[in-house]
Amino acid sequence: MKRTLVLISLVLLAVVAAGCVETTSEEKLIIFHAGSLSIPFKDLENEFAAYAKKNLRTSVTFQDEASGSVKAVRKVTDLGKKADIVATADYTLIPQMLVPNYTDFYVLFATNEIVIAFTSKSKYVNEIDSNNWYEILAKPDVSFGFSDPNQDPCGYRSVMVTKLADIYYGKPIFETLIEKNTNIIASGTHIYAPKEIQVKTKRIVIRPKETDLTGLVESGSLDYYFIYKSVAEQHHLRYIELPAEINLEDFKKASYYGQVSITIGSTGKTIKAKPIVYGVTALRDAPNKKLALEFLKYLLSEKGKEVFQKNYQDFIWPPIAFGKVPDEIKNLVKVEK
C-alpha cells in the first residue's frame, strides 16, 4: 500500500511538472531583401528571434534571400514566389510593382548615400579624393565596378551619379566612364540601360548586386566600386564621399537630382534620380502574416533603429507609412496619404 502511494505521488508530480513547461511553436519567416540590408537584417533577426522565443513563445527561423531590389520584387511579381517580407533599397519599387496586387501599404525606414570604396591595394589610392575621383577611374590601368542597373537600385543609382557629375563638374564623365565601357547610353540627361548589359573593356566589372563586388575589392582584384556608405563602413573599407549634389543623400536637393532619369530594360520603367530611401512591406498573401507583422513592429521600433545605427545606416524616425497601414504598426509610424 505504501509503495502504491509513492508511485501515485510520483505520477502526480510528473503531471504537474509537465503542465508547468511552456510549449514553444516553430515558425518560419521568408524575407526577400536588398543586398545592402544583409548585415543589419541579420543582426535584427537574431534579436527578434530571442524576443519571439521569450515573449511570443515562438521559435523563429528565417529564410533570407538577398538580391538586387528589382530582382527581389520580380521574384514575387514574375516568378510567383511566396514571401512574408519584402525590403528594398528603393522604396518606389513597392508602389510601382507590388501595389495594389501584392500589398496595400509600405513603410519608408532608412536612408543611405553613394560613395566610392576601395582598399590600400587600389591603384592611385593616395591620390584619389572627392574632387578628382572621375579622373582616377578614367585611367587605363584602373578597374572599377557597380551593380547591374536591371537588378539593383545601387546599380542604376551609380550610373545616375555619373550623369549628375556631368552637370556638377561640367565634364563628360558619364560618356568617359559608362558609355565608352558599356552599352549603357544617354540622350541628354536621360539614360537607357539595356536588358542585357554588355561590358566593352576589362576595366569595368558589373555584378547582380552591389555586395557581390565587395569581395573583389577586398581581394585587390578590383580597384574601386560605387557602393552605399553603410556597406563600406560595415566592411571597414576606405571610401571617398561625393559632393551632396551627386551622392543622392540630401533631401533638400531632390529637385536637383531629378534632372537625371534612367529607363531600365528589364522592367521598361523610368526612374528619376532621388534621395536614397529604403522601403519595406508585408505581402498580402504572406505565408505567416501574423508573425511578419510582429517582425515589422520590431524593425520599426527603437530596437530596429538601434540595430541600423550600430551598422552605420541612418534610420528614418519616425518611419513614414503609406496606404492601408495595418493596425499593428500604426502607433510606430507617421501615416501619410
Side-chain angles (χ1 to χ4, degrees):
M1 181 69 178
K2 188 175 181 181
R3 185 180 177 185
T4 303
L5 289 172
V6 170
L7 287 172
I8 292 172
S9 298
L10 289 173
V11 170
L12 288 173
L13 284 171
V15 171
V16 171
C20 292
V21 175
E22 293 182 347
T23 57
T24 302
S25 62
E26 294 183 4
E27 300 184 60
K28 180 174 73 172
L29 280 178
I30 305 170
I31 302 180
F32 297 167
H33 63 73
S36 57
L37 289 173
S38 294
I39 291 178
F41 261 44
K42 190 66 177 177
D43 285 355
L44 189 75
E45 288 166 5
N46 288 338
E47 289 197 10
F48 178 74
Y51 166 83
K53 195 164 189 177
K54 179 180 178 181
N55 297 280
L56 306 177
R57 293 203 298 256
T58 297
S59 180
V60 183
T61 58
F62 293 90
Q63 180 182 319
D64 286 292
E65 293 190 21
S67 66
S69 296
V70 176
K71 185 176 181 180
V73 171
R74 294 184 70 193
K75 287 178 185 177
V76 177
T77 61
D78 296 6
L79 302 180
K81 295 185 72 172
K82 297 293 183 182
D84 296 293
I85 300 284
V86 175
T88 62
D90 182 350
Y91 82 89
T92 63
L93 295 174
I94 300 175
Q96 282 183 356
M97 300 174 71
L98 293 178
V99 175
N101 294 331
Y102 304 93
T103 188
D104 46 23
F105 81 97
Y106 55 98
V107 183
L108 285 56
F109 70 97
T111 63
N112 226 318
E113 67 180 273
I114 298 291
V115 300
I116 297 174
F118 51 94
T119 71
S120 57
K121 302 173 187 176
S122 302
K123 295 184 181 70
Y124 307 102
V125 66
N126 295 320
E127 297 179 31
I128 192 167
D129 59 35
S130 297
N131 298 312
N132 69 4
W133 60 272
Y134 54 91
E135 295 173 347
I136 299 297
L137 296 190
K139 289 181 179 292
D141 59 338
V142 169
S143 61
F144 68 95
F146 54 87
S147 55
D148 185 352
N150 284 296
Q151 301 187 49
D152 188 33
C154 192
Y156 57 70
R157 284 166 172 158
S158 299
V159 172
M160 288 194 285
V161 159
T162 64
K163 178 53 71 174
L164 283 167
D166 280 7
I167 301 169
Y168 181 71
Y169 296 103
K171 297 181 179 181
I173 294 167
F174 174 87
E175 179 186 352
T176 302
L177 298 182
I178 307 300
E179 244 175 13
K180 287 184 177 179
N181 292 300
T182 73
N183 61 342
I184 301 171
I185 60 173
S187 176
T189 58
H190 181 73
I191 303 164
Y192 178 72
K195 186 176 182 179
E196 299 295 333
I197 293 178
Q198 298 170 0
V199 175
K200 299 177 182 177
T201 71
K202 293 181 179 180
R203 294 202 318 106
I204 193 165
V205 176
I206 299 175
R207 291 290 184 268
K209 61 181 183 294
E210 71 285 298
T211 50
D212 292 338
L213 295 161
T214 303
L216 298 178
V217 173
E218 290 175 329
S219 70
S221 59
L222 185 67
D223 292 312
Y224 299 93
Y225 76 136
F226 291 86
I227 190 63
Y228 296 122
K229 182 178 178 179
S230 66
V231 176
E233 295 264 20
Q234 289 159 11
H235 289 271
H236 308 293
L237 294 170
R238 297 173 66 175
Y239 63 89
I240 57 163
E241 293 188 283
L242 301 172
E245 286 80 3
I246 67 176
N247 68 8
L248 303 181
E249 185 265 344
D250 192 344
F251 283 82
K252 294 178 182 178
K253 291 181 168 52
S255 60
Y256 184 90
Y257 299 152
Q259 297 176 85
V260 172
S261 59
I262 186 169
T263 297
I264 306 299
S266 61
T267 65
K269 294 185 180 296
T270 296
I271 299 167
K272 274 191 173 185
K274 63 182 75 66
I276 297 168
V277 180
Y278 288 65
V280 65
T281 189
L283 297 181
R284 184 180 296 118
D285 63 348
N288 200 337
K289 186 67 171 286
K290 184 177 179 181
L291 190 62
L293 291 174
E294 287 288 346
F295 180 79
L296 269 190
K297 282 171 61 178
Y298 201 83
L299 166 63
L300 303 173
S301 71
E302 288 274 4
K303 291 290 187 181
K305 180 183 177 184
E306 290 172 7
V307 167
F308 271 74
Q309 290 179 334
K310 181 182 71 173
N311 285 289
Y312 312 104
Q313 189 162 2
D314 291 333
F315 204 81
I316 296 173
W317 197 257
I320 301 169
F322 294 84
K324 297 179 181 178
V325 182
D327 291 338
E328 289 89 342
I329 65 170
K330 274 186 177 177
N331 66 329
L332 296 170
V333 300
K334 180 182 179 184
V335 180
E336 297 283 0
K337 293 184 178 180

